Amino acid sequence: MPSDRAGYTLSVYAIDVSPSMGELKADPGGENKVPKLDLVKEFVARRCEPKISSGRKTEAVGILSYGGKTNNQANLAFVEQNPEDEDPPYANVSCDVAIQTAKPKTVEVVMNLDAGEYEGNPVSALMVALDMIHTHKHTKSWALEVVLITDGESSFRQDEYEEAMGRFDDLGARLSVVGIDFQPLSEAVDKSKSRSKRLSEKFWRTFVSMLHERISKTTDSEEMLPTLEIFDDSFQESRLPKAAVVNGTVSGIELHIGSPEVDPDQAITIPIKYSKATMKARPPTLSKAWKPAMELQAPTRPTLGNQRQNSNQLMSSLINQSQSLSQGGEIPKMEDFASMISAEVKHHSTYVLKKANYNAPASSQLDTQGLNGEYLDATQQATQNQDDDAEEEFVEKEDLVKAWRFGSTWVPMEADTFQPMDTRKGVEILGFFPKDAIKRHLLMGEVRFVWPDLTSPKGQIQFSALVEGMELRGMCAVVRWVLKDQAEPVIGICLPAMDFPGEGKRLDFMYWVKLPFAEDEHNFWFPSLTTYKTATGKVVKEHPLLPTDEQCELMDDLVQSLDLDTYAKEQAKRERQQSGDEDEAMSEEEEDEGETPRWFEPEKSYNPVIHRIKEAIFHASLTADLDANPLGPPHPELIKYFNTPSEIVERSEDLTKRLKDALDIKKVPPRTRKKVQKEGLREDEGYIDIDELFDEATASSQIKAESSSQATKRKVERPPAKEVKDEPRFIESDEEVEPLNIKAKPKSGRLISNENPLDDFKKLIEGEGDVFRKAIRDLGVVVEENIESSFSYQNYPLALDCLREMRSTALVYEEVETYNEIIDELEVKIKKGKHKDFWETFQEAGEEVAKISPEEAQKALDEYE
């Protein structure tokens, strides 16, 4: 019988490996020709992949092949009873994988199948498959299935087909026969095929028809009826992305109308059930694993020399270990190693107390220190040097306590500091309001199904009356949902729904959607798009920001030309005309019933990220050399909705150009940072050699006496190219002397010097490279050092100029948090240092150097966008 729960399925795949399966066949989804058996192996592997990925123990799979070797219990029993029979009926049937939980090893066995030397008997294979199901321990709630894949080129005995039908009916198993190059049931068998294939195809049509008629008398479920499928269609379907449909866990709770504590006589309590209707799907996550162990389990791939050596060492140690455990000292098989090694690596954390070092530079403190004894994960401190290790104190996890950050301090909170909220498990209706008043964006969260408890007839009547009353009046209910006692309450909305599964039947239920609290909702306000007012409040009817009638009409035409549903109807109409269907247009009744063709179908729009990762995992698990056989392009179904249909693009191209001209749309030039143009030296220019210029032998007669401090700050004007000579040129008068620019060198690890911090900072910002944060932090350290080394208030003006430049740069390049952290650090250092009067100067400077508020940061961000 079909399973109503996730899992609880048992599938046995009977694969034909007769010699004819080695013949080449065109790939249904490609251009190359490959052996039939390779296509069948991929088909079975793809059918097993969802069962393996689910990780459920109730997803059982069995593999058998016929036409090759002999390995099954039925053959052994027959040979024991009939030792003289040279042609046993179950020969050349092999049980390759006994029925068990689907594992990657199952797919590996399938991919290692080779074409046999004998013509297999598919009826005997069905009997062995039914024996496998019969001996497996399962309950009647499991969904049983046998999938037979054959090309029909082998002749076989058919004397057991009646017994096979009876066993299918008794076990409640479903049969699916997948025929390679079979004709559809609507067509006659092609007479150009070989005799064996024609007979085989006719046999399976008759067999499936008779079994269908027999089982349909005992069940009404369509899922239990046998089917005869075409391999090409089934194979292409197996390559399609499939959403993992998981039945939600059903939980029970009580629905309260009124308060039993206030008025128990008028309060109504209805037992209900609920489960998730939608939940965000996430792609498979990566896990860290031990590389040598993975090399033993993964398909054989070319490795480097050192990796191969490590694998050999691991293999040797495992062999020695297994020999010591075994009694006979025999070398174990490769399959035994999987239970002796563990590939997954667990994460381990230790905690350290980072002590604040106020003598260290501010930039290093911003990166490493924990203020007021903040606990940091040791993995985040792996790059610290040995000097920092001396300031770390390891702390046991039991000595830690959770704390909230309040300003610049920590507020520790023990586990039992506050009493939990006094709430009771249940769903309480707070009130009703019209469904039309619901904002559309509030119904886009995760949804739950709510229905009455089927074991309570009274509750079903009460719940049905509630749903009917809400539906007739167009109302919805606001409810307060508490999952367990003393849990946090959640506000949600219940929408009534009625489903009619059959004539005279009605199913009443509700949809529950979580509503946001006031803190959860973000509002975005913008001025009117159709009304423009001046600063004095006057309404302007014509303005560049107001659309004209021509622009509105062109935009309406563009939207209509981009209607995807209209395109889908036209496409469906063309397909019907090509197929010869006389009904060229759909009736209004069909459109009302929801049968109108749609271009976008949510149930077929798969998440490209999730399924692309699944494709990569599946391909890597079956491929030995990824370099020689890389992952192919994504399935067309994954990228079907990526681009607009070409017909719509061509249809709207003219309208788009006209609308572009009417709106005067121009391309916005990209934002470019200002680059400093460094002037290079001409061929006739050069710098003066200071040592040669101030040579004692020549300076006494050519240069006027002047102080050494003035001489080192002057720069000589360069003469025209025609006056340049080989001998050194001397200064003749003070008029041609300018101060010399001596470039200061920053300290180690910094980009900004203490002598010319402002100029260095501007050059870094205006230059190339993304060094804004590093430049701001270095300038903050330089400002702090210059203040500490200042004689009286001599360096205060330069420090304020640097802070002003830092603040404006932080606003432009979105480094607000960095600047605010530097100001906090600077305040602590100044108030503990010898220049406490600088902070008064800082505060007098006002907003030019103050911390940046969130409003100011948002305003700057909006301006630069």
Side-chain angles (χ1 to χ4, degrees), residues 275-299:
S275 64
K276 289 184 177 180
T278 61
M279 187 178 67
K280 182 179 180 180
R282 293 177 173 84
T285 57
L286 292 172
S287 300
K288 292 185 178 180
W290 189 28
K291 189 174 182 180
M294 295 303 297
E295 291 175 354
L296 290 180
Q297 298 180 2

PDB file of all heavy atoms in Angstrom, residues 275-299:
ATOM      1  N   SER A 275       0.586  21.243  11.398  1.00  0.00           N
ATOM      2  CA  SER A 275       1.858  20.829  10.791  1.00  0.00           C
ATOM      3  C   SER A 275       2.314  21.934   9.856  1.00  0.00           C
ATOM      4  O   SER A 275       1.517  22.800   9.470  1.00  0.00           O
ATOM      5  CB  SER A 275       1.707  19.507  10.025  1.00  0.00           C
ATOM      6  OG  SER A 275       0.829  19.673   8.927  1.00  0.00           O
ATOM      7  N   LYS A 276       3.566  21.916   9.471  1.00  0.00           N
ATOM      8  CA  LYS A 276       4.125  22.947   8.600  1.00  0.00           C
ATOM      9  C   LYS A 276       3.653  22.743   7.165  1.00  0.00           C
ATOM     10  O   LYS A 276       3.681  21.629   6.641  1.00  0.00           O
ATOM     11  CB  LYS A 276       5.646  22.936   8.647  1.00  0.00           C
ATOM     12  CG  LYS A 276       6.217  23.438   9.969  1.00  0.00           C
ATOM     13  CD  LYS A 276       7.719  23.508   9.923  1.00  0.00           C
ATOM     14  CE  LYS A 276       8.280  24.075  11.219  1.00  0.00           C
ATOM     15  NZ  LYS A 276       9.760  24.156  11.195  1.00  0.00           N
ATOM     16  N   ALA A 277       3.216  23.841   6.566  1.00  0.00           N
ATOM     17  CA  ALA A 277       2.829  23.806   5.153  1.00  0.00           C
ATOM     18  C   ALA A 277       3.974  24.247   4.262  1.00  0.00           C
ATOM     19  O   ALA A 277       4.140  23.739   3.148  1.00  0.00           O
ATOM     20  CB  ALA A 277       1.611  24.697   4.912  1.00  0.00           C
ATOM     21  N   THR A 278       4.757  25.203   4.709  1.00  0.00           N
ATOM     22  CA  THR A 278       5.941  25.666   3.971  1.00  0.00           C
ATOM     23  C   THR A 278       7.077  25.862   4.959  1.00  0.00           C
ATOM     24  O   THR A 278       6.861  26.221   6.118  1.00  0.00           O
ATOM     25  CB  THR A 278       5.678  26.986   3.232  1.00  0.00           C
ATOM     26  OG1 THR A 278       5.342  28.003   4.181  1.00  0.00           O
ATOM     27  CG2 THR A 278       4.558  26.839   2.220  1.00  0.00           C
ATOM     28  N   MET A 279       8.290  25.647   4.479  1.00  0.00           N
ATOM     29  CA  MET A 279       9.483  25.876   5.282  1.00  0.00           C
ATOM     30  C   MET A 279      10.644  26.114   4.338  1.00  0.00           C
ATOM     31  O   MET A 279      10.742  25.460   3.297  1.00  0.00           O
ATOM     32  CB  MET A 279       9.786  24.698   6.208  1.00  0.00           C
ATOM     33  CG  MET A 279      10.927  24.964   7.185  1.00  0.00           C
ATOM     34  SD  MET A 279      11.236  23.586   8.313  1.00  0.00           S
ATOM     35  CE  MET A 279      11.825  22.352   7.163  1.00  0.00           C
ATOM     36  N   LYS A 280      11.496  27.047   4.673  1.00  0.00           N
ATOM     37  CA  LYS A 280      12.608  27.388   3.804  1.00  0.00           C
ATOM     38  C   LYS A 280      13.538  26.199   3.635  1.00  0.00           C
ATOM     39  O   LYS A 280      13.999  25.606   4.606  1.00  0.00           O
ATOM     40  CB  LYS A 280      13.379  28.584   4.372  1.00  0.00           C
ATOM     41  CG  LYS A 280      14.539  29.033   3.495  1.00  0.00           C
ATOM     42  CD  LYS A 280      15.263  30.224   4.085  1.00  0.00           C
ATOM     43  CE  LYS A 280      16.424  30.654   3.193  1.00  0.00           C
ATOM     44  NZ  LYS A 280      17.153  31.815   3.753  1.00  0.00           N
ATOM     45  N   ALA A 281      13.806  25.849   2.374  1.00  0.00           N
ATOM     46  CA  ALA A 281      14.730  24.754   2.060  1.00  0.00           C
ATOM     47  C   ALA A 281      16.148  25.299   1.976  1.00  0.00           C
ATOM     48  O   ALA A 281      16.379  26.380   1.441  1.00  0.00           O
ATOM     49  CB  ALA A 281      14.342  24.086   0.748  1.00  0.00           C
ATOM     50  N   ARG A 282      17.080  24.555   2.504  1.00  0.00           N
ATOM     51  CA  ARG A 282      18.482  24.970   2.518  1.00  0.00           C
ATOM     52  C   ARG A 282      19.339  23.938   1.793  1.00  0.00           C
ATOM     53  O   ARG A 282      19.062  22.741   1.860  1.00  0.00           O
ATOM     54  CB  ARG A 282      18.979  25.146   3.955  1.00  0.00           C
ATOM     55  CG  ARG A 282      18.308  26.315   4.672  1.00  0.00           C
ATOM     56  CD  ARG A 282      18.776  26.412   6.118  1.00  0.00           C
ATOM     57  NE  ARG A 282      18.264  27.612   6.751  1.00  0.00           N
ATOM     58  CZ  ARG A 282      17.065  27.706   7.290  1.00  0.00           C
ATOM     59  NH1 ARG A 282      16.240  26.686   7.251  1.00  0.00           N
ATOM     60  NH2 ARG A 282      16.666  28.841   7.856  1.00  0.00           N
ATOM     61  N   PRO A 283      20.382  24.389   1.112  1.00  0.00           N
ATOM     62  CA  PRO A 283      21.246  23.439   0.388  1.00  0.00           C
ATOM     63  C   PRO A 283      22.062  22.603   1.356  1.00  0.00           C
ATOM     64  O   PRO A 283      22.222  22.961   2.537  1.00  0.00           O
ATOM     65  CB  PRO A 283      22.145  24.363  -0.451  1.00  0.00           C
ATOM     66  CG  PRO A 283      22.167  25.654   0.300  1.00  0.00           C
ATOM     67  CD  PRO A 283      20.825  25.789   0.944  1.00  0.00           C
ATOM     68  N   PRO A 284      22.583  21.470   0.906  1.00  0.00           N
ATOM     69  CA  PRO A 284      23.440  20.653   1.774  1.00  0.00           C
ATOM     70  C   PRO A 284      24.662  21.437   2.223  1.00  0.00           C
ATOM     71  O   PRO A 284      25.246  22.219   1.473  1.00  0.00           O
ATOM     72  CB  PRO A 284      23.839  19.466   0.868  1.00  0.00           C
ATOM     73  CG  PRO A 284      22.802  19.434  -0.200  1.00  0.00           C
ATOM     74  CD  PRO A 284      22.370  20.848  -0.420  1.00  0.00           C
ATOM     75  N   THR A 285      25.027  21.260   3.480  1.00  0.00           N
ATOM     76  CA  THR A 285      26.157  21.979   4.049  1.00  0.00           C
ATOM     77  C   THR A 285      27.416  21.132   3.949  1.00  0.00           C
ATOM     78  O   THR A 285      27.364  19.894   3.904  1.00  0.00           O
ATOM     79  CB  THR A 285      25.887  22.342   5.509  1.00  0.00           C
ATOM     80  OG1 THR A 285      25.604  21.135   6.249  1.00  0.00           O
ATOM     81  CG2 THR A 285      24.689  23.278   5.615  1.00  0.00           C
ATOM     82  N   LEU A 286      28.555  21.801   3.941  1.00  0.00           N
ATOM     83  CA  LEU A 286      29.849  21.123   3.889  1.00  0.00           C
ATOM     84  C   LEU A 286      30.300  20.761   5.304  1.00  0.00           C
ATOM     85  O   LEU A 286      30.047  21.502   6.259  1.00  0.00           O
ATOM     86  CB  LEU A 286      30.894  22.017   3.220  1.00  0.00           C
ATOM     87  CG  LEU A 286      30.686  22.288   1.732  1.00  0.00           C
ATOM     88  CD1 LEU A 286      31.679  23.339   1.252  1.00  0.00           C
ATOM     89  CD2 LEU A 286      30.854  21.018   0.919  1.00  0.00           C
ATOM     90  N   SER A 287      30.970  19.647   5.429  1.00  0.00           N
ATOM     91  CA  SER A 287      31.518  19.204   6.706  1.00  0.00           C
ATOM     92  C   SER A 287      33.007  18.958   6.537  1.00  0.00           C
ATOM     93  O   SER A 287      33.459  18.532   5.467  1.00  0.00           O
ATOM     94  CB  SER A 287      30.822  17.921   7.181  1.00  0.00           C
ATOM     95  OG  SER A 287      29.441  18.138   7.340  1.00  0.00           O
ATOM     96  N   LYS A 288      33.757  19.221   7.593  1.00  0.00           N
ATOM     97  CA  LYS A 288      35.191  18.946   7.549  1.00  0.00           C
ATOM     98  C   LYS A 288      35.431  17.455   7.795  1.00  0.00           C
ATOM     99  O   LYS A 288      34.768  16.835   8.610  1.00  0.00           O
ATOM    100  CB  LYS A 288      35.920  19.775   8.601  1.00  0.00           C
ATOM    101  CG  LYS A 288      35.908  21.266   8.312  1.00  0.00           C
ATOM    102  CD  LYS A 288      36.736  22.028   9.324  1.00  0.00           C
ATOM    103  CE  LYS A 288      36.747  23.519   8.998  1.00  0.00           C
ATOM    104  NZ  LYS A 288      37.559  24.283   9.971  1.00  0.00           N
ATOM    105  N   ALA A 289      36.385  16.895   7.044  1.00  0.00           N
ATOM    106  CA  ALA A 289      36.657  15.470   7.139  1.00  0.00           C
ATOM    107  C   ALA A 289      38.156  15.233   7.105  1.00  0.00           C
ATOM    108  O   ALA A 289      38.935  16.075   6.652  1.00  0.00           O
ATOM    109  CB  ALA A 289      35.975  14.706   6.000  1.00  0.00           C
ATOM    110  N   TRP A 290      38.575  14.066   7.615  1.00  0.00           N
ATOM    111  CA  TRP A 290      39.982  13.667   7.615  1.00  0.00           C
ATOM    112  C   TRP A 290      40.346  13.231   6.213  1.00  0.00           C
ATOM    113  O   TRP A 290      39.762  12.285   5.666  1.00  0.00           O
ATOM    114  CB  TRP A 290      40.178  12.531   8.608  1.00  0.00           C
ATOM    115  CG  TRP A 290      41.614  12.187   8.849  1.00  0.00           C
ATOM    116  CD1 TRP A 290      42.690  12.998   8.762  1.00  0.00           C
ATOM    117  CD2 TRP A 290      42.105  10.903   9.230  1.00  0.00           C
ATOM    118  NE1 TRP A 290      43.832  12.324   9.055  1.00  0.00           N
ATOM    119  CE2 TRP A 290      43.517  11.031   9.351  1.00  0.00           C
ATOM    120  CE3 TRP A 290      41.519   9.683   9.496  1.00  0.00           C
ATOM    121  CZ2 TRP A 290      44.318   9.955   9.719  1.00  0.00           C
ATOM    122  CZ3 TRP A 290      42.316   8.626   9.862  1.00  0.00           C
ATOM    123  CH2 TRP A 290      43.714   8.764   9.972  1.00  0.00           C
ATOM    124  N   LYS A 291      41.294  13.936   5.612  1.00  0.00           N
ATOM    125  CA  LYS A 291      41.591  13.736   4.194  1.00  0.00           C
ATOM    126  C   LYS A 291      42.042  12.312   3.869  1.00  0.00           C
ATOM    127  O   LYS A 291      41.542  11.709   2.906  1.00  0.00           O
ATOM    128  CB  LYS A 291      42.636  14.753   3.735  1.00  0.00           C
ATOM    129  CG  LYS A 291      42.841  14.769   2.229  1.00  0.00           C
ATOM    130  CD  LYS A 291      43.763  15.887   1.825  1.00  0.00           C
ATOM    131  CE  LYS A 291      43.948  15.940   0.314  1.00  0.00           C
ATOM    132  NZ  LYS A 291      44.846  17.022  -0.097  1.00  0.00           N
ATOM    133  N   PRO A 292      42.988  11.700   4.622  1.00  0.00           N
ATOM    134  CA  PRO A 292      43.370  10.314   4.278  1.00  0.00           C
ATOM    135  C   PRO A 292      42.202   9.345   4.351  1.00  0.00           C
ATOM    136  O   PRO A 292      42.090   8.431   3.550  1.00  0.00           O
ATOM    137  CB  PRO A 292      44.443   9.990   5.327  1.00  0.00           C
ATOM    138  CG  PRO A 292      45.004  11.313   5.713  1.00  0.00           C
ATOM    139  CD  PRO A 292      43.840  12.262   5.668  1.00  0.00           C
ATOM    140  N   ALA A 293      41.293   9.547   5.317  1.00  0.00           N
ATOM    141  CA  ALA A 293      40.139   8.650   5.409  1.00  0.00           C
ATOM    142  C   ALA A 293      39.220   8.813   4.215  1.00  0.00           C
ATOM    143  O   ALA A 293      38.671   7.837   3.697  1.00  0.00           O
ATOM    144  CB  ALA A 293      39.376   8.920   6.706  1.00  0.00           C
ATOM    145  N   MET A 294      39.055  10.058   3.758  1.00  0.00           N
ATOM    146  CA  MET A 294      38.190  10.295   2.606  1.00  0.00           C
ATOM    147  C   MET A 294      38.780   9.683   1.344  1.00  0.00           C
ATOM    148  O   MET A 294      38.061   9.235   0.461  1.00  0.00           O
ATOM    149  CB  MET A 294      37.974  11.795   2.411  1.00  0.00           C
ATOM    150  CG  MET A 294      37.219  12.464   3.548  1.00  0.00           C
ATOM    151  SD  MET A 294      35.617  11.716   3.853  1.00  0.00           S
ATOM    152  CE  MET A 294      34.805  12.056   2.293  1.00  0.00           C
ATOM    153  N   GLU A 295      40.124   9.631   1.257  1.00  0.00           N
ATOM    154  CA  GLU A 295      40.743   9.063   0.059  1.00  0.00           C
ATOM    155  C   GLU A 295      40.482   7.567  -0.049  1.00  0.00           C
ATOM    156  O   GLU A 295      40.494   7.000  -1.137  1.00  0.00           O
ATOM    157  CB  GLU A 295      42.250   9.342   0.082  1.00  0.00           C
ATOM    158  CG  GLU A 295      42.573  10.820  -0.118  1.00  0.00           C
ATOM    159  CD  GLU A 295      44.047  11.100   0.027  1.00  0.00           C
ATOM    160  OE1 GLU A 295      44.779  10.165   0.398  1.00  0.00           O
ATOM    161  OE2 GLU A 295      44.465  12.243  -0.219  1.00  0.00           O
ATOM    162  N   LEU A 296      40.232   6.924   1.098  1.00  0.00           N
ATOM    163  CA  LEU A 296      39.907   5.504   1.056  1.00  0.00           C
ATOM    164  C   LEU A 296      38.469   5.257   0.629  1.00  0.00           C
ATOM    165  O   LEU A 296      38.152   4.243   0.010  1.00  0.00           O
ATOM    166  CB  LEU A 296      40.136   4.874   2.439  1.00  0.00           C
ATOM    167  CG  LEU A 296      41.589   4.730   2.895  1.00  0.00           C
ATOM    168  CD1 LEU A 296      41.628   4.108   4.265  1.00  0.00           C
ATOM    169  CD2 LEU A 296      42.391   3.904   1.906  1.00  0.00           C
ATOM    170  N   GLN A 297      37.563   6.194   0.968  1.00  0.00           N
ATOM    171  CA  GLN A 297      36.143   5.984   0.704  1.00  0.00           C
ATOM    172  C   GLN A 297      35.708   6.561  -0.633  1.00  0.00           C
ATOM    173  O   GLN A 297      34.767   6.063  -1.242  1.00  0.00           O
ATOM    174  CB  GLN A 297      35.312   6.629   1.821  1.00  0.00           C
ATOM    175  CG  GLN A 297      35.582   6.007   3.184  1.00  0.00           C
ATOM    176  CD  GLN A 297      34.750   6.654   4.274  1.00  0.00           C
ATOM    177  OE1 GLN A 297      33.961   7.530   3.992  1.00  0.00           O
ATOM    178  NE2 GLN A 297      34.935   6.216   5.498  1.00  0.00           N
ATOM    179  N   ALA A 298      36.377   7.620  -1.092  1.00  0.00           N
ATOM    180  CA  ALA A 298      35.969   8.277  -2.331  1.00  0.00           C
ATOM    181  C   ALA A 298      36.428   7.466  -3.536  1.00  0.00           C
ATOM    182  O   ALA A 298      37.293   6.595  -3.428  1.00  0.00           O
ATOM    183  CB  ALA A 298      36.554   9.689  -2.391  1.00  0.00           C
ATOM    184  N   PRO A 299      35.846   7.727  -4.724  1.00  0.00           N
ATOM    185  CA  PRO A 299      36.325   7.055  -5.942  1.00  0.00           C
ATOM    186  C   PRO A 299      37.796   7.343  -6.173  1.00  0.00           C
ATOM    187  O   PRO A 299      38.314   8.391  -5.779  1.00  0.00           O
ATOM    188  CB  PRO A 299      35.452   7.664  -7.049  1.00  0.00           C
ATOM    189  CG  PRO A 299      34.221   8.133  -6.345  1.00  0.00           C
ATOM    190  CD  PRO A 299      34.686   8.569  -4.980  1.00  0.00           C
TER     191      PRO A 299
END
